[in-house]
Amino acid sequence: VIPNLSMIVGDSGGLHGKEDCVDAQERLQYLLCRFVEIISISTKKPLILFLDDLQWADRASVAVIKRLLLTLSASRFLFVGSYREGEMNEHHHVWNMMSTISDLGVNARVIQMSHLNRDVVNDMISDMLRLSPRLTRPLADIAYHKTKGNPLFLKRLMISLSKDGLLRFSLSRRRWVWDEEKIQSRKIPDDVATFLTSAIFKLSPDVQNALCTLSCFGAATDEAVIDVLETDLGVNLKNALEYAVSEGFLEKVDRNYQFSHDRVQEAAYNMLGFEHRAEMHLEYGIALCLRTAKNDNDDSLLFTAVNQINRGNLSAISDSNHRSMIASLNLQAGKKAMSMSDFGLALSFFEHGSSFLCQNHWNDDYDLSLELFDCSAKCAYAIGDHMRLGEISKQVLSGARSFGDKLNVLYHSVSSLFDASLMNEAIDKGFWVLS
């Protein structure tokens, strides 16, 4: 997440040899907290950390935030997070964190942000068009009625009105002018997602296809990925993406193309049918995997490649050798994630790798199967997912050929019982292993 941080703390945040995953994770969190604390006390002004889209935050990220809030002084550190309403249920990691820190005396508040009211919409349009609020009031009333004060909806509506000539700059009057009757009578979808989709459909087919391709990789994509797709798949993307940047659908920051808003990415992604989407993920994943085979040092490209394959159509891969190869790639990606102490991501790779194994994998792919399940158990223990650890343990205990091959899983199982304060069960299981 913060690769340059290794220049300050070194590689001490990673996993060393056969070290316990929990120890490595604790050490990384401690180093991050110390780093932030040093920054906060080196200036008279408080340090403010803002994170958007918390509904997508993983367990490891939330754990770091919780530790920061519990460790640092409230007078020196302020955390602000935003999330999309309706997309975080009561069991989400963020709500669990909020409950814990409140019980421990941290002042935490939830502030519900409503849409912009009519006056604020008028102020925005007035500032946008460099006109007095009195002149923009009629246009603002129409815009508010059509967008209900949704900021993204409002922004895209104003761009759309300008492109369609309903809002234009008059050289003779030296100001922006608009056609109120045509804007009022214009039919506009009720929700921003449908509006964005209709806006994308107005673009040329090349730009539409480029946006759909980019949407398969999430909110942001490195230009290196685009280069691979253009070279290895023979598709022209950059010109179309640059046009999308000029139209406000994308932003280009350094070597990254990123959607101007996550709703734009969702609209582009939802334009693809489910089967077509899966085929594209698989095709892009294979192309990127072939490239990673030539460059072992590019971890981000490996993660992107394997993630694309995992989101592809698994039923399309019937050859057992191909499935074993993809399982091995997931194992490789999972180990890379473990070395960076991202055990949640690592577990996801290991479990996807296990899903690619053939039905009789304990006989046909024994070594690969054992390593995938051993690593899965280690990561499940590290993130405190005791239920998943139990499920993994059952499979290893039933499939492993020797008692020695079962020891790693048994160790994590006993440690998990101790962590859950189930001392009697842990001692009983420990004696059973020794016997």
Side-chain angles (χ1 to χ4, degrees), residues 23-59:
D23 292 339
Q25 198 166 36
E26 286 289 324
R27 186 176 60 254
L28 179 60
Q29 290 183 11
Y30 171 77
L31 289 171
L32 278 169
C33 289
R34 289 290 297 149
F35 175 66
V36 175
E37 184 178 17
I38 289 169
I39 295 175
S40 69
I41 63 177
S42 64
T43 175
K44 295 180 180 179
K45 297 179 180 179
L47 179 66
I48 301 174
L49 173 63
F50 172 71
L51 293 180
D52 195 10
D53 292 321
L54 282 182
Q55 70 271 11
W56 293 328
D58 57 34
R59 191 190 301 266

Side-chain angles (χ1 to χ4, degrees), residues 135-412:
L135 293 174
T136 58
R137 174 63 70 179
L139 176 60
D141 287 343
I142 298 172
Y144 177 79
H145 175 73
K146 292 184 177 295
T147 65
K148 304 298 185 295
N150 183 305
L152 175 63
F153 205 164
L154 178 63
K155 176 185 175 183
R156 295 307 310 179
L157 174 63
M158 297 300 289
I159 293 173
S160 175
L161 294 178
S162 177
K163 287 176 64 65
D164 295 344
L166 299 180
L167 173 66
R168 63 192 183 281
F169 189 81
S170 171
L171 293 176
S172 60
R173 299 180 64 180
R174 297 182 181 180
R175 50 159 282 193
W176 288 91
V177 296
W178 51 89
D179 192 323
E180 286 182 28
E181 290 186 5
K182 288 185 178 180
I183 295 174
Q184 181 73 59
S185 61
R186 185 177 182 181
K187 292 184 178 179
I188 293 177
D190 292 331
D191 65 281
V192 66
T194 308
F195 181 76
L196 288 171
T197 302
S198 64
I200 294 173
F201 270 122
K202 292 180 181 179
L203 301 171
S204 67
D206 287 346
V207 180
Q208 288 183 42
N209 291 335
L211 286 174
C212 289
T213 296
L214 201 68
S215 71
C216 292
F217 295 90
T221 308
D222 192 283
E223 196 171 5
V225 174
I226 306 300
D227 292 337
V228 173
L229 297 182
E230 285 196 322
T231 303
D232 296 358
L233 298 181
V235 293
N236 185 12
L237 294 172
K238 282 191 178 178
N239 291 337
L241 293 177
E242 291 295 337
Y243 181 79
V245 171
S246 68
E247 290 295 304
F249 291 95
L250 299 175
E251 297 172 356
K252 191 174 182 184
V253 181
D254 297 329
R255 287 183 53 82
N256 280 286
Y257 286 99
Q258 59 188 42
F259 284 92
S260 56
H261 195 277
D262 55 1
R263 287 288 194 183
V264 180
Q265 186 264 333
E266 289 177 7
Y269 192 63
N270 290 332
M271 288 171 62
L272 301 169
F274 180 78
E275 291 186 1
H276 185 205
R277 191 188 299 171
E279 290 171 0
M280 291 174 70
H281 282 306
L282 186 59
E283 181 183 15
Y284 300 154
I286 291 173
L288 293 170
C289 276
L290 292 174
R291 182 61 66 93
T292 58
K294 304 173 185 176
N295 185 8
D296 292 336
N297 296 322
D298 196 339
D299 295 345
S300 62
L301 197 61
L302 172 65
F303 290 155
T304 302
V306 177
N307 185 51
Q308 286 294 304
I309 290 180
N310 291 341
R311 297 176 67 186
N313 185 5
L314 305 189
S315 61
I317 307 173
S318 56
D319 186 276
S320 59
N321 291 326
H322 290 165
R323 295 181 74 91
S324 294
M325 180 188 70
I326 294 172
S328 297
L329 285 169
N330 271 283
L331 177 63
Q332 181 183 348
K335 286 182 173 180
K336 291 277 189 182
M338 282 180 69
S339 70
M340 297 185 294
S341 295
D342 192 342
F343 301 109
L345 177 62
L347 179 58
S348 174
F349 282 128
F350 295 140
E351 291 192 329
H352 273 105
S354 301
S355 70
F356 277 98
L357 296 171
C358 62
Q359 189 173 3
N360 199 27
H361 60 88
W362 284 110
N363 289 324
D364 299 338
D365 266 320
Y366 180 77
D367 291 338
L368 177 59
S369 300
L370 183 62
E371 192 167 9
L372 278 169
F373 281 98
D374 266 357
C375 290
S376 296
K378 196 172 188 178
C379 291
Y381 170 61
I383 64 175
D385 195 336
H386 305 297
M387 186 176 295
R388 199 178 307 186
L389 174 58
E391 295 170 356
I392 296 168
S393 300
K394 288 179 183 177
Q395 296 190 58
V396 175
L397 294 177
S398 64
R401 292 173 181 171
S402 68
F403 185 73
D405 288 345
K406 301 175 183 180
L407 281 177
N408 285 332
V409 166
L410 289 171
Y411 165 74
H412 295 307

Side-chain angles (χ1 to χ4, degrees), residues 413-433:
S413 298
V414 174
S415 299
S416 175
L417 291 171
F418 270 115
D419 290 347
S421 298
L422 299 173
M423 301 302 178
N424 291 333
E425 290 88 336
I427 292 171
D428 289 343
K429 193 158 194 171
F431 276 124
W432 177 81
V433 172

